Amino acid sequence: MENENRKVLLSIRDLKQYFPVKKTKLREKQRYVRANDGISLDIYAGETLGLVGESGCGKSTLGRTLLQLYPQTEGQVIYHKDGKDIDLKSLPKEEMRVLRKDLQLIFQDPYSSLNPRMTVGQIIGEGLVSHGMFKRGDPAMKDYIFKVMENCGLDTYMFGRYPHQFSGGQRQRIGIARSLALNPSFVVCDEAVSALDVSIQSQILNLLSDLKEKQNLTYLFITHDLSVVKYISDRIGVMYLGNMVELAPTEELFANTLHPYTEALLSAIPVVDEDDKRERILLEGDIPSPVNPPSGCKFHTRCRYCQQKCKEEVPEWVDVGNNHFVACHFPLKHKE
Ligand code: SF4
């Protein structure tokens, strides 16, 4: 789908993730939540790809599906490693377990993602032992954990402390240390700073950027906050109701917004400049049900530019140049 000469780390092809809805006496026909409804894109080695959209648009599901925490219903996720193309879904369980070290997740909620009965040293060490990087009790493991803690801005005296003894920002640093200690190549950061105060958010974003450079990481950065994603991402993908509707390098997306949904999201970013008289576009109504999405363009029920064609025909995913892709029958020409 994309024609860059950069090294592709993950290829996602027509990915569908449908979850069955429980049948009732009134509705016996099996219905599905279409969390991801045919997504195709490449993720390049070393980039940060931001993924934005309202709650329920399927961005977290996509992140977890790429890590095979939910095996996809249809489509392919190909991981390119050491010259091999590995189809993650068809990988035997044991091989997937070995590969899991490469593909890590940083959770949203630092309060609930850490075991309260384990010390920081045990939390970070657990994965190292289970992935065979160290034997339990190996003195070298402690030195390694100290190094990881220092890299993540944690003092080594915290090694024997429990999660409840830390602030939110420090707990998120522990979560990051736990994931990055395994030397992954691809990390999904799922709303990784959303639960933190704004001042702490910037510290964690800077830490993630530094670690990316040091460890040559590739991030999928999932958030509903466009100002955060603008700061950290090389490219941004915009999702609506299970589909990618626009994808472009960050500067290009902000300078030349083409999809009406992206336009509405960007207009909602708070500004401090009094002279900035941007129109705030309010999207009417709630996001429709992913069980029974609207016909044609799924966004047509909330789009202020909707025309008859939008209600009948699904817009194609079009390459408009500059690595900019959009799915809209009537893309906006240029942002004012
Ligand atoms: S295809 Fe039509 S309804 Fe959908 S975003 Fe474009 S203009 Fe709006």
Side-chain angles (χ1 to χ4, degrees):
M1 195 177 75
E2 292 163 54
N3 307 313
E4 283 199 10
N5 293 325
R6 286 188 287 159
K7 185 173 172 270
V8 175
L9 186 72
L10 280 172
S11 303
I12 300 142
R13 295 291 175 264
D14 202 20
L15 187 77
K16 292 183 181 159
Q17 186 60 276
Y18 294 173
F19 299 109
V21 180
K22 209 174 166 197
K23 291 182 194 170
T24 63
K25 280 187 183 164
L26 288 174
R27 269 208 197 96
E28 288 201 339
K29 194 174 163 229
Q30 183 63 64
R31 300 187 310 155
Y32 295 89
V33 173
R34 301 178 187 194
N36 294 152
D37 204 8
I39 293 178
S40 298
L41 81 149
D42 290 331
I43 299 179
Y44 298 106
E47 78 166 338
T48 298
L49 174 63
L51 205 53
V52 291
E54 290 163 289
S55 300
C57 70
K59 54 193 189 305
S60 291
T61 302
L62 176 61
R64 283 168 161 73
T65 303
L66 298 188
L67 302 179
Q68 295 297 295
L69 298 175
Y70 310 142
Q72 67 265 25
T73 312
E74 282 178 34
Q76 283 186 310
V77 180
I78 309 287
Y79 175 44
H80 305 282
K81 184 182 183 185
D82 303 333
K84 287 189 210 145
D85 300 336
I86 305 166
D87 183 346
L88 294 183
K89 194 180 179 188
S90 62
L91 216 55
K93 243 186 183 170
E94 187 48 35
E95 284 181 44
M96 188 62 226
R97 212 188 71 77
V98 174
L99 208 64
R100 206 162 278 296
K101 177 179 157 309
D102 285 15
L103 311 167
Q104 285 294 306
L105 175 66
I106 295 172
F107 293 90
Q108 170 178 8
D109 187 357
Y111 295 91
S112 60
S113 66
L114 304 175
N115 186 336
R117 298 199 183 142
M118 292 171 88
T119 63
V120 173
Q122 289 168 332
I123 288 168
I124 300 173
E126 193 189 22
L128 300 175
V129 172
S130 68
H131 284 286
M133 288 174 71
F134 290 95
K135 291 223 161 62
R136 203 173 288 283
D138 182 345
M141 183 164 84
K142 193 169 180 181
D143 292 338
Y144 181 78
I145 294 174
F146 278 173
K147 209 173 110 204
V148 173
M149 288 175 68
E150 277 171 7
N151 280 343
C152 294
L154 294 162
D155 286 324
T156 50
Y157 73 83
M158 297 169 174
F159 181 87
R161 294 199 172 177
Y162 291 88
H164 74 268
Q165 295 174 288
F166 293 92
S167 66
Q170 285 171 322
R171 283 185 226 200
Q172 193 56 297
R173 286 176 191 271
I174 299 168
I176 292 169
R178 174 179 57 186
S179 296
L180 301 197
L182 298 171
N183 271 327
S185 51
F186 178 64
V187 182
V188 174
C189 305
D190 189 2
E191 302 279 8
V193 296
S194 304
L196 305 173
D197 292 343
V198 175
S199 59
I200 309 295
Q201 279 188 4
S202 54
Q203 290 176 18
I204 298 296
L205 290 174
N206 287 337
L207 173 67
L208 288 169
S209 298
D210 290 349
L211 292 171
K212 182 188 156 201
E213 294 306 317
K214 268 190 202 157
Q215 295 190 216
N216 200 19
L217 298 167
T218 303
Y219 289 143
L220 179 68
F221 198 90
I222 298 170
T223 181
H224 61 274
D225 187 340
L226 261 157
S227 46
V228 166
V229 90
K230 183 182 183 186
Y231 178 75
I232 196 161
S233 305
D234 301 305
R235 289 191 303 157
I236 297 178
V238 181
M239 282 188 69
Y240 186 78
L241 212 56
N243 291 102
M244 193 74 74
V245 295
E246 189 162 10
L247 174 69
T250 303
E251 277 187 21
E252 163 72 15
L253 188 88
F254 277 78
N256 187 20
T257 308
L258 294 179
H259 198 281
Y261 179 59
T262 313
E263 181 193 42
L265 288 184
L266 296 190
S267 80
I269 298 178
V271 286
V272 282
D273 184 357
E274 266 186 10
D275 298 330
D276 191 333
K277 301 279 184 241
R278 270 185 312 173
E279 180 194 3
R280 169 93 198 256
I281 302 166
L282 286 177
L283 287 177
E284 304 218 339
D286 290 330
I287 191 164
S289 165
V291 177
N292 190 17
S295 60
C297 169
K298 289 181 181 174
F299 186 55
H300 85 251
T301 52
R302 301 168 82 196
C303 180
R304 61 183 186 158
Y305 308 105
C306 174
Q307 299 186 33
Q308 191 55 33
K309 184 179 182 185
C310 308
K311 299 178 185 171
E312 293 163 0
E313 289 177 33
V314 178
E316 278 182 28
W317 184 244
V318 179
D319 180 352
V320 294
N322 285 341
N323 294 313
H324 196 153
F325 298 80
V326 67
C328 175
H329 293 306
F330 307 102
L332 311 168
K333 290 287 179 242
H334 287 284
K335 198 165 164 262
E336 294 297 313

mmCIF file of all heavy atoms in Angstrom, residues 259-260 297 299-300 303 305-307 310 315 328-330, ligand 1:
data_model
loop_
_atom_site.group_PDB
_atom_site.id
_atom_site.type_symbol
_atom_site.label_atom_id
_atom_site.label_comp_id
_atom_site.label_asym_id
_atom_site.label_seq_id
_atom_site.Cartn_x
_atom_site.Cartn_y
_atom_site.Cartn_z
ATOM 1 N N HIS A 259 -9.431 14.782 5.443
ATOM 2 C CA HIS A 259 -10.671 14.091 5.838
ATOM 3 C C HIS A 259 -11.483 14.959 6.805
ATOM 4 O O HIS A 259 -10.927 15.513 7.759
ATOM 5 C CB HIS A 259 -10.336 12.743 6.497
ATOM 6 C CG HIS A 259 -11.511 11.826 6.518
ATOM 7 N ND1 HIS A 259 -12.525 11.945 7.446
ATOM 8 C CD2 HIS A 259 -11.862 10.784 5.715
ATOM 9 C CE1 HIS A 259 -13.430 11.004 7.220
ATOM 10 N NE2 HIS A 259 -13.058 10.290 6.168
ATOM 11 N N PRO A 260 -12.789 15.078 6.576
ATOM 12 C CA PRO A 260 -13.618 15.907 7.466
ATOM 13 C C PRO A 260 -13.562 15.470 8.934
ATOM 14 O O PRO A 260 -13.661 16.312 9.827
ATOM 15 C CB PRO A 260 -15.034 15.710 6.904
ATOM 16 C CG PRO A 260 -14.816 15.398 5.466
ATOM 17 C CD PRO A 260 -13.555 14.586 5.413
ATOM 18 N N CYS A 297 -20.015 5.595 3.426
ATOM 19 C CA CYS A 297 -18.983 6.119 4.331
ATOM 20 C C CYS A 297 -19.552 6.077 5.749
ATOM 21 O O CYS A 297 -20.600 6.670 6.028
ATOM 22 C CB CYS A 297 -18.644 7.557 3.930
ATOM 23 S SG CYS A 297 -17.631 8.368 5.184
ATOM 24 N N PHE A 299 -18.809 7.592 8.246
ATOM 25 C CA PHE A 299 -18.837 8.893 8.920
ATOM 26 C C PHE A 299 -19.993 9.763 8.414
ATOM 27 O O PHE A 299 -20.215 10.857 8.920
ATOM 28 C CB PHE A 299 -17.484 9.597 8.690
ATOM 29 C CG PHE A 299 -17.311 10.879 9.436
ATOM 30 C CD1 PHE A 299 -17.457 10.942 10.821
ATOM 31 C CD2 PHE A 299 -16.992 12.052 8.766
ATOM 32 C CE1 PHE A 299 -17.295 12.129 11.513
ATOM 33 C CE2 PHE A 299 -16.820 13.248 9.454
ATOM 34 C CZ PHE A 299 -16.981 13.284 10.830
ATOM 35 N N HIS A 300 -20.783 9.255 7.448
ATOM 36 C CA HIS A 300 -21.730 10.167 6.784
ATOM 37 C C HIS A 300 -22.812 10.698 7.726
ATOM 38 O O HIS A 300 -23.350 11.779 7.518
ATOM 39 C CB HIS A 300 -22.344 9.510 5.531
ATOM 40 C CG HIS A 300 -23.535 8.632 5.764
ATOM 41 N ND1 HIS A 300 -23.497 7.262 5.648
ATOM 42 C CD2 HIS A 300 -24.806 8.940 6.107
ATOM 43 C CE1 HIS A 300 -24.692 6.766 5.897
ATOM 44 N NE2 HIS A 300 -25.493 7.757 6.193
ATOM 45 N N CYS A 303 -21.079 13.853 9.213
ATOM 46 C CA CYS A 303 -20.212 14.690 8.372
ATOM 47 C C CYS A 303 -20.974 15.886 7.817
ATOM 48 O O CYS A 303 -22.040 15.734 7.226
ATOM 49 C CB CYS A 303 -19.657 13.847 7.222
ATOM 50 S SG CYS A 303 -18.587 14.789 6.138
ATOM 51 N N TYR A 305 -20.159 17.619 5.319
ATOM 52 C CA TYR A 305 -20.026 17.708 3.858
ATOM 53 C C TYR A 305 -20.728 16.547 3.152
ATOM 54 O O TYR A 305 -20.520 16.325 1.968
ATOM 55 C CB TYR A 305 -18.547 17.698 3.456
ATOM 56 C CG TYR A 305 -17.712 18.713 4.185
ATOM 57 C CD1 TYR A 305 -16.852 18.337 5.209
ATOM 58 C CD2 TYR A 305 -17.787 20.064 3.848
ATOM 59 C CE1 TYR A 305 -16.084 19.274 5.892
ATOM 60 C CE2 TYR A 305 -17.020 21.003 4.524
ATOM 61 C CZ TYR A 305 -16.172 20.606 5.541
ATOM 62 O OH TYR A 305 -15.420 21.531 6.216
ATOM 63 N N CYS A 306 -21.531 15.799 3.886
ATOM 64 C CA CYS A 306 -22.121 14.562 3.337
ATOM 65 C C CYS A 306 -22.989 14.836 2.106
ATOM 66 O O CYS A 306 -23.764 15.795 2.068
ATOM 67 C CB CYS A 306 -22.956 13.901 4.435
ATOM 68 S SG CYS A 306 -23.855 12.473 3.840
ATOM 69 N N GLN A 307 -22.845 13.980 1.092
ATOM 70 C CA GLN A 307 -23.694 14.046 -0.093
ATOM 71 C C GLN A 307 -24.287 12.648 -0.335
ATOM 72 O O GLN A 307 -23.902 11.687 0.332
ATOM 73 C CB GLN A 307 -22.873 14.498 -1.306
ATOM 74 C CG GLN A 307 -22.282 15.892 -1.070
ATOM 75 C CD GLN A 307 -21.575 16.446 -2.286
ATOM 76 O OE1 GLN A 307 -21.967 16.169 -3.413
ATOM 77 N NE2 GLN A 307 -20.540 17.231 -2.058
ATOM 78 N N CYS A 310 -22.082 9.609 -0.549
ATOM 79 C CA CYS A 310 -21.448 9.171 0.713
ATOM 80 C C CYS A 310 -22.301 8.125 1.421
ATOM 81 O O CYS A 310 -21.787 7.263 2.126
ATOM 82 C CB CYS A 310 -21.236 10.350 1.647
ATOM 83 S SG CYS A 310 -20.379 11.733 0.890
ATOM 84 N N PRO A 315 -16.055 4.850 0.468
ATOM 85 C CA PRO A 315 -14.932 5.538 -0.191
ATOM 86 C C PRO A 315 -13.675 4.675 -0.221
ATOM 87 O O PRO A 315 -13.412 3.931 0.719
ATOM 88 C CB PRO A 315 -14.710 6.787 0.676
ATOM 89 C CG PRO A 315 -15.405 6.538 1.962
ATOM 90 C CD PRO A 315 -16.441 5.479 1.744
ATOM 91 N N CYS A 328 -12.163 9.225 1.426
ATOM 92 C CA CYS A 328 -13.274 10.191 1.418
ATOM 93 C C CYS A 328 -13.631 10.500 -0.036
ATOM 94 O O CYS A 328 -12.738 10.683 -0.859
ATOM 95 C CB CYS A 328 -12.847 11.472 2.155
ATOM 96 S SG CYS A 328 -14.074 12.781 2.075
ATOM 97 N N HIS A 329 -14.935 10.560 -0.334
ATOM 98 C CA HIS A 329 -15.342 10.898 -1.701
ATOM 99 C C HIS A 329 -15.056 12.354 -2.036
ATOM 100 O O HIS A 329 -14.829 12.705 -3.188
ATOM 101 C CB HIS A 329 -16.859 10.648 -1.877
ATOM 102 C CG HIS A 329 -17.231 9.207 -1.807
ATOM 103 N ND1 HIS A 329 -16.644 8.248 -2.597
ATOM 104 C CD2 HIS A 329 -18.125 8.549 -1.016
ATOM 105 C CE1 HIS A 329 -17.174 7.061 -2.319
ATOM 106 N NE2 HIS A 329 -18.058 7.220 -1.355
ATOM 107 N N PHE A 330 -15.110 13.221 -1.019
ATOM 108 C CA PHE A 330 -14.930 14.659 -1.259
ATOM 109 C C PHE A 330 -13.913 15.227 -0.267
ATOM 110 O O PHE A 330 -14.274 15.990 0.639
ATOM 111 C CB PHE A 330 -16.283 15.381 -1.121
ATOM 112 C CG PHE A 330 -17.350 14.772 -1.975
ATOM 113 C CD1 PHE A 330 -18.315 13.938 -1.416
ATOM 114 C CD2 PHE A 330 -17.380 15.011 -3.339
ATOM 115 C CE1 PHE A 330 -19.304 13.353 -2.198
ATOM 116 C CE2 PHE A 330 -18.375 14.426 -4.140
ATOM 117 C CZ PHE A 330 -19.330 13.589 -3.573
HETATM 118 S S1 SF4 B 1 -17.096 10.397 2.090
HETATM 119 FE FE1 SF4 B 1 -18.654 11.984 2.357
HETATM 120 S S2 SF4 B 1 -19.518 11.608 4.385
HETATM 121 FE FE2 SF4 B 1 -17.587 10.530 4.277
HETATM 122 S S3 SF4 B 1 -16.130 11.929 5.116
HETATM 123 FE FE3 SF4 B 1 -16.086 12.224 2.918
HETATM 124 S S4 SF4 B 1 -17.533 13.883 2.549
HETATM 125 FE FE4 SF4 B 1 -17.931 13.131 4.625
#
